[in-house]
């Protein structure tokens, strides 16, 4: 539930804080789209509201985020640029660590001191499938930064780890010996009429 103070701030001129949490083990990756580290917490996800969310730079594709929050996108790629290399070095991310992990997006408004006005309101949850890191070349006195791209699926769209399963008669009888409930599934797959048992 969005607090009344946050709703009032959203109706007027406000600073919006967008927070990402990737459920890595043992230390989740917590980033927010800003430049400084701040204490915050996503409601019902983080243990406290005083977890440290690291400044993660700039989200490159805001329309994509709007599609995710409005339930339009089944899969999205979050691309965040401007992350300090030391920040990313803490996790040493790779495909194996990331695949299948829960990914949360939350928002709240920020006050005049760029601090959260409430606990972060969870907006959507997905499953991470792949991650890529890149360090664009720098010139002169520019500081090196990392660009992070994370592909996330929502609902049952993940292709590498399907959320649905087909139970055959063998599977069903292993769990329920003597039960013939799934005996007609092969005939249903072929489109043949199935005579259901009478009890």
């Amino acid at each position: 539930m969005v607090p009344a103070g946050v709703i009032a701030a959203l109706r007027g001129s406000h600073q919006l804080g967008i927070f990402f949490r990737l459920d890595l083990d043992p230390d989740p990756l917590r980033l927010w789209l800003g430049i400084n580290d701040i204490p915050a917490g996503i409601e019902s996800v983080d243990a406290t509201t005083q977890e440290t969310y690291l400044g993660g730079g700039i989200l490159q594709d805001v329309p994509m985020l709007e599609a995710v929050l409005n339930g339009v996108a089944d899969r999205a790629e979050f691309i965040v640029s401007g992350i300090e290399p030391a920040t990313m070095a803490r996790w040493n991310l790779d495909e194996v660590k990331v695949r299948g992990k829960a990914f949360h997006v939350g928002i709240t408004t920020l006050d005049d001191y760029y601090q959260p006005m409430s606990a972060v309101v969870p907006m959507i949850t997905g499953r991470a499938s792949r991650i890529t890191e890149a360090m664009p070349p720098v010139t002169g006195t520019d500081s090196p930064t990392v660009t992070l791209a994370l592909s996330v699926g929502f609902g049952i769209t993940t292709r590498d780890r399907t959320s649905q399963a087909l139970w055959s008669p063998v599977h069903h009888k292993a769990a329920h010996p003597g039960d013939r409930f799934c005996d007609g599934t092969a005939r249903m797959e072929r489109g043949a009429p199935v005579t259901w048992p009478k009890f």
Side-chain angles (χ1 to χ4, degrees):
M1 183 174 178
V2 182
V6 173
I7 293 175
L10 287 171
R11 288 179 176 149
S13 177
H14 65 278
Q15 296 285 339
L16 183 64
I18 303 174
F19 297 78
F20 300 132
R21 184 184 188 276
L22 181 60
D23 195 18
L24 300 177
D25 187 29
D27 185 18
L29 171 63
R30 295 182 177 94
L31 292 175
W32 79 285
L33 301 184
I35 56 173
N36 295 317
D37 302 345
I38 60 173
I42 298 179
E43 276 184 355
S44 72
V45 178
D46 286 312
T48 72
T49 58
Q50 298 299 311
E51 303 291 349
T52 300
Y53 274 76
L54 305 178
I58 302 167
L59 182 67
Q60 290 188 354
D61 195 356
V62 175
M64 175 275 304
L65 180 62
E66 291 176 356
V68 170
L69 295 180
N70 290 328
V72 177
D74 294 329
R75 174 169 292 280
E77 187 169 30
F78 291 86
I79 303 174
V80 181
S81 64
I83 307 172
E84 293 183 0
T87 299
M88 295 310 304
R90 288 183 50 184
W91 287 277
N92 190 23
L93 299 176
D94 60 32
E95 293 277 341
V96 176
K97 288 183 180 178
V98 168
R99 187 177 294 121
K101 299 297 183 182
F103 179 75
H104 303 272
V105 179
I107 64 168
T108 188
T109 49
L110 307 176
D111 61 20
D112 294 338
Y113 299 99
Y114 294 93
Q115 297 301 306
M117 294 178 63
S118 70
V120 180
V121 180
M123 299 301 293
I124 194 165
T125 301
R127 291 276 171 195
S129 58
R130 68 180 182 275
I131 191 166
T132 57
E133 291 180 46
M135 188 176 292
V138 295
T139 59
T141 58
D142 293 343
S143 299
T145 60
V146 174
T147 297
L148 177 70
L150 178 66
S151 178
V152 181
F154 304 97
I156 58 172
T157 61
T158 52
R159 291 172 288 180
D160 51 355
R161 293 188 178 212
T162 180
S163 299
Q164 295 179 328
L166 173 63
W167 284 83
S168 69
V170 175
H171 291 126
H172 186 72
K173 287 179 182 175
H176 307 282
D179 191 340
R180 301 178 56 203
F181 179 78
C182 291
D183 282 2
T185 55
R187 290 174 55 82
M188 289 179 68
E189 186 179 11
R190 294 192 309 265
V194 177
T195 303
W196 293 99
K198 295 180 181 178
F199 299 102

